Amino acid sequence: MSQCPNMSEFNITVTAGHYSTLAAVLAGFAFTALMFLVSNRRDGEHHKHFGNAYLVLIAAFLSLILSSLGYSVLAGDQESSGRASVEEVVLGIGFALSGVLVVYAIVLTLDASAAHSAAVSGGTVSKEDAVAAYARNVLAVFINPLATLYLFLGMGDYQSARYGPSHPYAEPLQIYGWTLVGLQIMASALLYWRWYKKAGAWTGSRQDKTVKLLSKTFLAITLLSAVGFAIIESQFSACGTLSPVIPAAVLTVAVLATGTFTYVLAHTHPG
């Protein structure tokens, strides 16, 4: 196969292979954690506290499997191409949200561990409370914006493949991307703390329903990204790049998802 023009400097397919390995490793961690929780499920009280962690771990495991499969196919391409630069962004949203789910599962497990310990000890506050709060804050303030930022930076390959280096046509997409990333960072740095401190915590069935809906939504987005990747891989030529509407739409969905997740994190803490 002859090399596509303007793509000699890229190694998207090689990078996809590393992403596939990382996604598979994270899926293994998620599966191990899920099996550990299931094996230690002794009574109804345990299930009551750890039920949300089960849901998120299952969603994270399935999402990571889908991401790993997609990156494996992308890594099997013979060369980087304009099409690969689009697929990089499309697969990126699924992988980013999968990583967020893994960390969220850790947060929920710490929350559940604190609640379970308090119930067993008759209401004594355990040290896991502070650890869970720290993990929740790191997820909201750092990991959420980083997931969005890395997805946006991946669009740089698309811009170079479609327009060439430093082409003025790439500027609108660049400005739009930085605007969305800035809004996400502002929500995490400012609004999260306002919501966390001034709003009441959602507990009980409302929290359970929110976590369940969030898990299903993130899993659905990952599934759609895998389907979108399959369509692009099978229907479009390797050297062609698709409309800039696609990466812009992907980044928009990512910011809406992580922004909503920031809001949920601020309202679903133990109180």
Side-chain angles (χ1 to χ4, degrees):
M1 179 185 294
S2 61
Q3 191 173 36
C4 299
N6 299 323
M7 295 301 297
S8 58
E9 59 190 271
F10 298 106
N11 59 350
I12 296 174
T13 56
V14 175
T15 304
H18 298 314
Y19 277 138
S20 176
T21 302
L22 178 59
V25 170
L26 291 176
F29 286 150
F31 181 77
T32 302
L34 182 61
M35 291 299 100
F36 176 78
L37 289 179
V38 171
S39 65
N40 284 276
R41 184 170 141 185
R42 296 178 295 274
D43 50 39
E45 193 70 19
H46 183 275
H47 177 71
K48 170 186 173 182
H49 291 138
F50 288 89
N52 288 336
Y54 292 146
L55 292 175
V56 176
L57 279 171
I58 292 172
F61 174 71
L62 295 176
S63 297
L64 287 166
I65 291 296
L66 289 172
S67 296
S68 180
L69 288 173
Y71 280 123
S72 296
V73 174
L74 181 57
D77 287 348
Q78 296 186 18
E79 61 179 10
S80 295
S81 63
R83 183 183 67 189
S85 69
V86 181
E87 295 170 339
E88 179 185 11
V89 179
V90 172
L91 287 175
I93 185 174
F95 183 57
L97 295 183
S98 299
V100 168
L101 283 176
V102 170
V103 182
Y104 190 39
I106 296 173
V107 171
L108 290 176
T109 302
L110 292 171
D111 286 344
S113 178
H116 187 66
S117 298
V120 171
S121 60
T124 303
V125 178
S126 63
K127 292 183 179 180
E128 285 95 343
D129 292 334
V131 177
Y134 176 78
R136 184 183 304 275
N137 295 339
V138 168
L139 177 56
V141 178
F142 294 103
I143 296 179
N144 252 357
L146 276 177
T148 307
L149 179 62
Y150 279 126
L151 182 62
F152 167 68
L153 293 177
M155 290 169 55
D157 291 344
Y158 168 83
Q159 294 168 347
S160 297
R162 183 175 178 86
Y163 304 113
S166 303
H167 198 287
Y169 285 168
E171 291 182 4
L173 189 59
Q174 192 82 0
I175 294 172
Y176 180 71
W178 278 119
T179 300
L180 290 181
V181 172
L183 290 174
Q184 170 61 58
I185 294 174
M186 183 171 57
S188 296
L190 300 177
L191 295 179
Y192 169 76
W193 298 109
R194 179 181 178 86
W195 294 329
Y196 189 94
K197 294 178 180 179
K198 294 188 176 182
W202 299 340
T203 57
S205 61
R206 185 178 184 184
Q207 180 175 351
D208 295 341
K209 290 179 181 178
T210 303
V211 173
K212 185 177 181 180
L213 178 61
L214 183 77
S215 301
K216 288 183 176 180
T217 302
F218 277 24
L219 179 58
I221 293 174
T222 305
L223 178 60
L224 288 175
S225 74
V227 172
F229 165 76
I231 293 174
I232 294 172
E233 181 75 14
S234 61
Q235 299 297 322
F236 296 92
S237 63
C239 292
T241 55
L242 281 70
S243 168
V245 172
I246 293 178
V250 169
L251 186 61
T252 301
V253 173
V255 170
L256 289 175
T258 54
T260 302
F261 183 50
T262 301
Y263 181 79
V264 170
L265 278 173
H267 287 80
T268 55
H269 59 88

